[in-house]
C-alpha cells in the first residue's frame, strides 16, 4: 500500500490516523509511538464460536464488558472464478490460524470474526440450509437509501493496540513474513483481495481526540471522557444479548452467528448546539431519565442495565412527552429481559466524516430487522407529536450510507465455507 497520504501530515495527527491510513509506514509510526509491540502470543486454541469475545474483554467497575479501542473491517472480494478450490481454502485457513497463533485471544491481543455474504454463497449451486437463512441486505426505513454491500467476505479485527491490527492486515496481504514472532506461511494473496478498509475506535476519550471531523461542530463539544461521539456510554451488560442468545443452534453452522454491518454518517451540529443536555438524555435514553436527571456524565452511574425499568412504553412516551428515547424504543423487542442483538459498534472518521460502523451479531438477521424496526418506530410518528425522525430517538442525527449482512461460521468452518458447511 502506498505511503503517499502521510507525507506532510504532522506526526501526532499521523499517528492518530495511522490505522485509517494503513500500510507499512503507519505500522512503524504506531510502533515508534506506542509500546514496542510487546503483545501476548496465542497459545491455547481460541473458542469455536468466533463471536465469543466477552470472556476475553476487560471489565469496568460494574462488570460491563469494555470493548477494545481499535477496530478494522476488511471487506474482501474472492479473486477466483466460480467457487473456491481446496488449495485456496487451505491458504485462508492457514492465514487465519496464523493470526490465532501470533496473538492471544484477548483484548490485549487480537479478537476477530471472519464472515461471508449472501453474494459469496450465491457462487455455489447448493443453497444455505433452512436453519441458516441469510437475506440480502436492503434499506430498512422509508427515509434511507444505503449502498448495499456485496463483498464476498468481511474480516472484523479488534485490539487494544492499533499496531496489532495493522500488522495482522500486512501479514494477510503478504507484506510481512513474521507476526509477533510467528512465521507467516500463507496469506490471502491471490484468493481474497481487500476491496475496502473501514476503521475506527471506541473508548473513553477517543471520540474527543477525533472530533476535528466533518459532522462535529467546530466548537469541539464532545465530552472528553465519552466513549462514543454522541457523548454517552453504550453496551451495558443487560442492554446486550448474551453470546448464547445470538448463537445459531442447528444445522451445519451451529455455533456460528449472523452479522449486520452498517455504516452511518453522523451530523451532530443540532445535537450539540441546539439540543441541551436534558434533550440529549431524553432522546438517547428516555424522557424519564432527562426529567429526573438520573444520567451522570456519560452514564457510567447507570450500572449494568441503563435503568430502563424506569422507562414508560415507547408509545406512551411519544404521546405524553412528545419525545421518545432511542434506548426506550427497543425495550419491547427484549426477550427474557434482554435485547436479542449483541452490538459491537464503533465510531469512525472514514471519509473524513464523523460516523459509526454499526456491527451487531444475532442468531438470525430477522432479529436485527425487528430491533431496527423498533428503532425506526414508524407507528410512533402517527398521531403523536413525534415525527418520523424528529424527537424520535436519535434518527435525525444519522444517515445510513451502507448495509451488509453476513454469516459468521463457527471457527472450524471459517475458511471459505460451502453453503452446506462441508469441505
Ligand atoms: C450513532 C448511533 C448509535 C448510538 C450513539 C447509540 C447509542 C446507544 C446508547 C447510548 C444506548 C443506551 C445504552 C446502551 O447501549 O445500553 C443504546 C441502546 C441500544 N441501541 Fe443504540 N446507538 C446507536 C445506533 C443503534 C442502532 C443503529 C441500533 C440498531 C437497531 C441500535 C440498537 C440499540 C439497542 C438494541 C439498544 C438497547 C435496547 C435495550 O436496552 O433494550 N443502536 N444505543
Amino acid at each position: 500500500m502506498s505511503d503517499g497520504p502521510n507525507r506532510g501530515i504532522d506526526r501526532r495527527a499521523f499517528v492518530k490516523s495511522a490505522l485509517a491510513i494503513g500500510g507499512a509506514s503507519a505500522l512503524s509510526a504506531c510502533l515508534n509511538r506506542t509500546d514496542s509491540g510487546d503483545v501476548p502470543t496465542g497459545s491455547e486454541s481460541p473458542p469455536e464460536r468466533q463471536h465469543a469475545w466477552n470472556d476475553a474483554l476487560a471489565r469496568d467497575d460494574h462488570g460491563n464488558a469494555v470493548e477494545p479501542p481499535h477496530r478494522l473491517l476488511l471487506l474482501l472480494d474472492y479473486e477466483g472464478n466460480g467457487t473456491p478450490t481446496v488449495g485456496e481454502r487451505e491458504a485462508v485457513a492457514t492465514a487465519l490460524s496464523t493470526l490465532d497463533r501470533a496473538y492471544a485471544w484477548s483484548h490485549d491481543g487480537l479478537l476477530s470474526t471472519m464472515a461471508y455474504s449472501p453474494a459469496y454463497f450465491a457462487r455455489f449451486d447448493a443453497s444455505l440450509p433452512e436453519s441458516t437463512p441469510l437475506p440480502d441486505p436492503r434499506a430498512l426505513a422509508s427515509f434511507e437509501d444505503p449502498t448495499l454491500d456485496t463483498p464476498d467476505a468481511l474480516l472484523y479485527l479488534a485490539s487494544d493496540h492499533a499496531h496489532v491490527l495493522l500488522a495482522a492486515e500486512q501479514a494477510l496481504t503478504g507484506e510481512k513474513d513474521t507476526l509477533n514472532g510467528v512465521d507467516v506461511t500463507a496469506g490471502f494473496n491471490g484468493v481474497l483481495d481487500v476491496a475496502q478498509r473501514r476503521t475506527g475506535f471506541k473508548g473513553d476519550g477517543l471520540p474527543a481526540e477525533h472530533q476535528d471531523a466533518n459532522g462535529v461542530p467546530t466548537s469541539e463539544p464532545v465530552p472528553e471522557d465519552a466513549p462514543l461521539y454522541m457523548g454517552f456510554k453504550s453496551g451495558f451488560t443487560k442492554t446486550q444479548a448474551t453470546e448464547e442468545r445470538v448463537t445459531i443452534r442447528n444445522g451445519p453452522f451451529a455455533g456460528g452467528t449472523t452479522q449486520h454491518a452498517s455504516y452511518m454518517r453522523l451530523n451532530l451540529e443540532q445535537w450539540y448546539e441546539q439540543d441541551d443536555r436534558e434533550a440529549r438524555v431524553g432522546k438517547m435514553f428516555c424522557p424519564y431519565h432527562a426529567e429526573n436527571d438520573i444520567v451522570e456524565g456519560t452514564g457510567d452511574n447507570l450500572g449494568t442495565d441503563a435503568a430502563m425499568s424506569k422507562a414508560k412504553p415507547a408509545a406512551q412516551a411519544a404521546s405524553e412527552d412528545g419525545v421518545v428515547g432511542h434506548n426506550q424504543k427497543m425495550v419491547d423487542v427484549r426477550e427474557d429481559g434482554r435485547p436479542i442483538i449483541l452490538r459491537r459498534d464503533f465510531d469512525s472518521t472514514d471519509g473524513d466524516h464523523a460516523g459509526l460502523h454499526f456491527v451487531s451479531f444475532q442468531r438470525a438477521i430477522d432479529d436485527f430487522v425487528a430491533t431496527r424496526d423498533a428503532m425506526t418506530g414508524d407507528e410512533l410518528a402517527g398521531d403523536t407529536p413525534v415525527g418520523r425522525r424528529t424527537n424520535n430517538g436519535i434518527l435525525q442525527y444519522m444517515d445510513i450510507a451502507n448495509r451488509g449482512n453476513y454469516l459468521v461460521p463457527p471457527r472450524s468452518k471459517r475458511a471459505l465455507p460451502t453453503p452446506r458447511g462441508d469441505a
Side-chain angles (χ1 to χ4, degrees):
M1 187 168 294
S2 149
D3 298 344
N6 66 49
R7 247 180 276 131
I9 300 179
D10 105 10
R11 183 178 160 70
R12 195 167 169 279
F14 173 65
V15 169
K16 194 177 75 183
S17 57
L19 180 59
I21 292 170
S25 306
L27 175 57
S28 63
C30 261
L31 283 169
N32 290 344
R33 181 193 179 225
T34 56
D35 45 275
S36 57
D38 191 10
V39 176
T41 48
S43 48
E44 290 159 36
S45 25
E48 174 69 353
R49 291 178 184 175
Q50 293 193 71
H51 56 290
W53 292 15
N54 281 354
D55 284 349
L57 294 176
R59 299 276 148 180
D60 68 13
D61 291 345
H62 303 285
N64 298 304
V66 180
E67 294 173 58
H70 303 289
R71 314 289 174 92
L72 175 62
L73 288 167
L74 296 178
L75 280 70
L76 302 162
D77 281 342
Y78 176 58
E79 292 194 75
N81 292 317
T83 55
T85 64
V86 172
E88 289 170 338
R89 190 164 288 128
E90 282 172 4
V92 170
T94 306
L96 291 171
S97 74
T98 303
L99 302 188
D100 292 344
R101 283 183 294 118
Y103 297 116
W105 185 256
S106 161
H107 62 94
D108 197 26
L110 179 65
L111 297 167
S112 62
T113 52
M114 180 73 167
Y116 296 87
S117 70
Y120 168 80
F121 287 110
R123 294 178 172 280
F124 297 83
D125 291 335
S127 44
L128 284 164
E130 277 179 22
S131 54
T132 320
L134 185 64
D136 288 330
R138 60 183 172 88
L140 292 177
S142 56
F143 46 80
E144 68 177 42
D145 184 21
T147 299
L148 305 175
D149 293 328
T150 55
D152 285 285
L154 178 68
L155 179 65
Y156 185 19
L157 300 174
S159 175
D160 287 355
H161 312 281
H163 68 79
V164 166
L165 305 186
L166 287 164
E169 179 184 12
Q170 295 227 310
L172 291 173
T173 52
E175 291 163 66
K176 233 178 156 332
D177 299 334
T178 59
L179 191 61
N180 211 20
V182 170
D183 285 342
V184 177
T185 56
F188 287 172
N189 336 37
V191 184
L192 292 169
D193 181 51
V194 178
Q196 211 185 102
R197 323 167 65 245
R198 297 182 184 172
T199 63
F201 46 87
K202 185 176 197 173
D204 297 357
L206 290 172
E209 272 180 39
H210 291 83
Q211 59 184 315
D212 53 344
N214 293 315
V216 182
T218 48
S219 56
E220 304 198 338
V222 179
E224 64 181 28
D225 57 343
L228 285 169
Y229 274 129
M230 293 191 78
F232 297 106
K233 175 172 172 153
S234 175
F236 298 91
T237 301
K238 291 181 185 159
T239 59
Q240 290 276 44
T242 60
E243 287 173 349
E244 179 62 27
R245 174 61 182 81
V246 305
T247 300
I248 295 169
R249 291 188 172 151
N250 305 309
F253 295 106
T257 186
T258 73
Q259 182 178 19
H260 183 76
S262 58
Y263 167 67
M264 56 202 73
R265 274 185 280 275
L266 298 176
N267 297 301
L268 302 180
E269 274 82 12
Q270 178 178 336
W271 180 251
Y272 280 118
E273 296 194 330
Q274 289 168 45
D275 294 354
D276 57 15
R277 179 172 165 86
E278 189 176 333
R280 288 195 289 276
V281 170
K283 290 179 185 180
M284 184 60 85
F285 293 94
C286 62
Y288 178 93
H289 284 31
E291 282 153 27
N292 297 283
D293 204 12
I294 69 163
V295 181
E296 291 169 18
T298 64
D300 191 50
N301 66 308
L302 296 173
T304 56
D305 65 2
M308 274 300 118
S309 57
K310 307 274 189 201
K312 322 174 168 167
Q316 196 182 334
S319 56
E320 290 177 6
D321 305 319
V323 174
V324 59
H326 168 69
N327 198 157
Q328 177 174 37
K329 279 187 284 181
M330 287 173 284
V331 170
D332 278 353
V333 191
R334 288 183 176 190
E335 197 183 274
D336 299 327
R338 291 173 71 156
I340 55 177
I341 68 171
L342 174 55
R343 292 164 286 144
R344 289 193 177 137
D345 51 283
F346 55 94
D347 277 338
S348 177
T349 53
D350 285 350
D352 218 7
H353 204 286
L356 180 118
H357 291 288
F358 188 84
V359 179
S360 70
F361 298 98
Q362 49 283 311
R363 186 176 300 146
I365 294 293
D366 280 357
D367 292 338
F368 174 77
V369 174
T371 306
R372 172 63 216 208
D373 283 349
M375 175 176 161
T376 300
D378 267 340
E379 71 293 348
L380 303 172
D383 299 332
T384 70
V386 170
R388 202 159 289 285
R389 296 181 76 185
T390 321
N391 293 330
N392 192 342
I394 54 177
L395 293 172
Q396 95 185 76
Y397 310 99
M398 58 178 68
D399 285 310
I400 310 293
N402 297 78
R403 288 198 180 282
N405 290 338
Y406 305 88
L407 171 68
V408 184
R411 188 175 306 268
S412 53
K413 294 180 178 171
R414 72 181 165 171
L416 299 173
T418 68
R420 296 293 158 159
D422 46 21

